[in-house]
Amino acid sequence: WISYSPAATEFDLGLAKKELNRVTARDSATLRSTELTLGAATIQIALENRKVVQTFAWGSAPRPRALADDYEVKGDSLAIDTPAEILKELRAFRGAWVGFRPDSAQGERDWLAGDSITAFFVSRAVAGSAPRAALQQLEARRQAKSFYRLAGSGDGATKPSISYARADKIVLTMQGGDSLKVQRVEMSGNVDGVQL
């Protein structure tokens, strides 16, 4: 979040001791940063020491949507924590949905959904540039659902498969070093699903 650019029809600014501490953008607001593009009816940014530390997005037209290179997040409202302008946590509420990078064949996303989803990030060093946020874990609660596809091996030893599951809670833990590959899936509560 080192560089960010808000756009909207209407802005409200908040000041504390002559320092800008809040910006609220209304009417089809958009916020672009180095890692994420966020769109919603209303977006509010909280600042401390001239750095964005928290961002909220809400409203129904358009519904909040965050888009990054590797994932897309939707919900009735979003809350994003960026202490020191480093992405640490993203929460989506009511009708929350997270989709991973679309596959190259059909452009479809594997996804996780629930009444609420929390995404936890870690800062990962990138050679020759500033550290980037990497997804560490996703947690879906209440009416959680997941859909993902596994490609078959190129030698024909394993065939492609599709998995759909439902549970009260689903937790995806990503592989260290790759925020797109799932290392572990944990489901609890009322669990059912199908694997094809």
Side-chain angles (χ1 to χ4, degrees):
W1 290 74
I2 295 165
S3 171
Y4 66 93
S5 172
T9 304
E10 178 185 331
F11 287 95
D12 288 335
L13 305 177
L15 298 171
K17 297 180 183 176
K18 298 183 182 180
E19 283 285 327
L20 186 65
N21 69 351
R22 179 183 45 82
V23 176
T24 304
R26 291 188 175 88
D27 195 7
S28 298
T30 304
L31 176 67
R32 297 183 196 286
S33 76
T34 54
E35 295 185 4
L36 194 68
T37 298
L38 176 64
T42 304
I43 297 174
Q44 186 174 82
I45 303 165
L47 298 110
E48 288 179 9
N49 300 317
R50 300 182 182 183
K51 292 186 181 287
V52 176
V53 294
Q54 204 163 41
T55 304
F56 301 101
W58 67 90
S60 58
R63 190 170 185 242
R65 176 179 178 245
L67 186 62
D69 290 341
D70 294 336
Y71 56 89
E72 177 182 3
V73 182
K74 296 186 241 179
D76 284 356
S77 62
L78 303 178
I80 304 166
D81 296 338
T82 53
E85 293 190 341
I86 298 171
L87 180 59
K88 291 291 182 188
E89 190 172 304
L90 186 152
R91 296 173 303 285
F93 303 98
R94 301 194 63 186
W97 182 89
V98 174
F100 291 96
R101 182 187 294 159
D103 68 25
S104 57
Q106 298 184 15
E108 296 177 0
R109 296 180 186 268
D110 292 343
W111 52 265
L112 179 68
D115 185 59
S116 69
I117 292 179
T118 303
F120 302 95
F121 296 85
V122 293
S123 183
R124 197 160 283 146
V126 177
S129 64
R132 290 188 49 107
L135 181 62
Q136 182 180 43
Q137 193 173 69
L138 278 170
E139 182 178 296
R141 291 180 175 269
R142 293 182 298 283
Q143 299 178 0
K145 302 175 194 125
S146 69
F147 173 82
Y148 64 93
R149 291 151 297 162
L150 296 172
S153 64
D155 61 8
T158 59
K159 296 183 179 185
S161 66
I162 296 173
S163 176
Y164 174 77
R166 299 181 299 187
D168 293 334
K169 179 180 172 183
I170 300 174
V171 178
L172 305 180
T173 302
M174 314 313 283
Q175 287 184 7
D178 190 339
S179 63
L180 289 176
K181 291 185 180 175
V182 176
Q183 177 180 328
R184 186 173 67 241
V185 178
E186 299 171 61
M187 299 182 202
S188 58
N190 297 309
V191 179
D192 64 13
V194 62
Q195 174 103 19
L196 301 173

